[in-house]
Amino acid sequence: MGSHFNTVLFIGLILSLSSQAQGYHAIEGSPYAGAIGAANNPASIVNTPYPWDITLFSVEEKNTTNALRLNDYGYLTRDTIHYAWTNGRFARYAAFNFNVHLLNVRLAMGRKQAIFFGANLRGYGSARTGPVNYNDTLKNMNEFFNTNEGTTYNASMVSSSWVEGFIGYSRTLTDNAYGRLNGGITLKGMRGISGANAQLVSGSVNRTIPTGSLLTVYDLAAGSGRYGYSSNYDYWKKGHSAIQNWKDFLGHTKPGAAVDMGVEYLVKPQTVNVYDEGDSYYDYDWKIGVSLLDIGFNQYVYGSQSRVIGDPRTDVTDSALNQKFQRISTVARFNDSMSTIVNEYNSIAGKFKIWNPARLVINVDRPLPDHFAVNANLTLNLGGSNMGQRFFTKEITLLSVTPRWEVKRLGAYLPVQVTTDGKLWVGGAFKAGPLLMGIDNWANLFTKTKMANGGIYLALVIRPGKGFSFKEEKRYTCPKN
């Protein structure tokens, strides 16, 4: 469809695919997850056998798409990146999310209460189209419309990135001989640093053959759309210093808020401990967690080049589209061209909200002999589609099942994930002292054509050398022979 058209699309996707994501699936449900585990369920931090832990820094990136394939690019090999668009007729999508933990701290106040606090940098984005036919031999809009005869064009895009500060509290709600119920809550204050949305609704073209010509011509027929971005981008000026630009960029962000809530029920092992043979307070036969996460939104002010459009001019042909959008280097120039092909063309003023990835999470953890365990985590996104006036971000992973072998200082994990778009990823991770490293899709490591789907994570967590040293009460244990 023209090299410039392909390049613009590629740049948009590669920016999202190279971002840094939320999840850390390998350690979901682990009693040693500490502050990191609060992102999956704030109740989890109270059932951790350490008086404190500090996540100095951690980062995760995750991305998925069926729209393109990256070649000659992998975690172990970094040649010149080549890409190829996938051919055929189907609905296309691309999605990413990232999460950077910036000094997250968990402090236990005895065995039945804990607090945690810190800051994160997070971002989510997705783009989707309706079914459309594409192949890499297309050279212009005429060929594209020709291969998509009768197609109605629909597409949406949403992206939101923010910095958040949070504080949370977890405590034991009930405790008896058979089980223990913990509950937790996290309150988040946010600043939305980058937001964007776009829609194309019911776009279509008419096919005509001019008198005396053998060439088929396509004219715009119907459709409407909108596209907008956060206004802080308008304050980034070419002639200003980097410090001044960052000050203006961040100074024109808006506040937001969100909350996490969760409970965990631990089924206690029905065994009798022998006094002085270790502390079994944190042991369980089953652990079942339910949480509601990221209930809230970020808000942004529309940038000066945001527009709503409709009623396309029916005298605009495919060849005119090729010409008008051949060389587009700025949003302003894109708008100049757009204004010549539609009758309804208006600026968008005011604020817009992008909802955080609100979701219901159900987690089940089952310890096995010899320090083995299996965890299952189901994530159900609560947000709607992005084809209306409300905009949502969403998690990529639907279900993960993770066998693990783990002790306090060492761990090996084999997370298996099913994404919301139906992909199956098999990954791996290991823990050695303060270091946790993982990969969501082993194909990213061993091939050079799978980087468009997968992700990595890295965390540096410090903990005390020993866990709690509370003395066990003799009334709960049997005397030694």
Side-chain angles (χ1 to χ4, degrees), residues 87 181 210 260 285 305 333 374 475:
N87 297 335
L181 178 67
D260 297 345
D285 280 345
Q305 300 297 321
R333 290 185 179 181
V374 176
R475 64 192 178 98

Side-chain angles (χ1 to χ4, degrees), residues 128 153-157 198-202 384-392:
R128 290 188 175 272
Y153 302 97
N154 294 284
S156 66
M157 183 279 291
Q199 293 178 15
L200 171 63
V201 181
S202 300
S385 71
N386 286 308
M387 293 302 292
Q389 297 296 316
R390 302 183 71 190
F391 310 117
F392 303 91

Side-chain angles (χ1 to χ4, degrees), residues 39-77:
N40 198 57
N41 190 330
S44 68
I45 65 164
V46 78
N47 196 66
T48 297
Y50 291 106
W52 57 267
D53 60 80
I54 302 173
T55 303
L56 296 176
F57 174 81
S58 70
V59 61
E60 184 184 12
E61 80 67 35
K62 187 180 298 180
N63 46 260
T64 181
T65 182
N66 68 347
L68 60 75
R69 184 181 69 253
L70 300 180
N71 298 320
D72 302 320
Y73 179 63
Y75 288 131
L76 298 181
T77 58

Side-chain angles (χ1 to χ4, degrees), residues 366-387:
R366 171 63 169 168
L368 301 172
D370 301 321
H371 307 295
F372 286 94
V374 176
N375 181 266
N377 195 84
L378 176 65
T379 300
L380 301 175
N381 285 305
L382 302 179
S385 71
N386 286 308
M387 293 302 292

Side-chain angles (χ1 to χ4, degrees), residues 385-405:
S385 71
N386 286 308
M387 293 302 292
Q389 297 296 316
R390 302 183 71 190
F391 310 117
F392 303 91
T393 55
K394 298 180 181 181
E395 276 290 339
I396 290 174
T397 299
L398 172 64
L399 175 68
S400 64
V401 178
T402 305
R404 70 176 184 268
W405 177 89

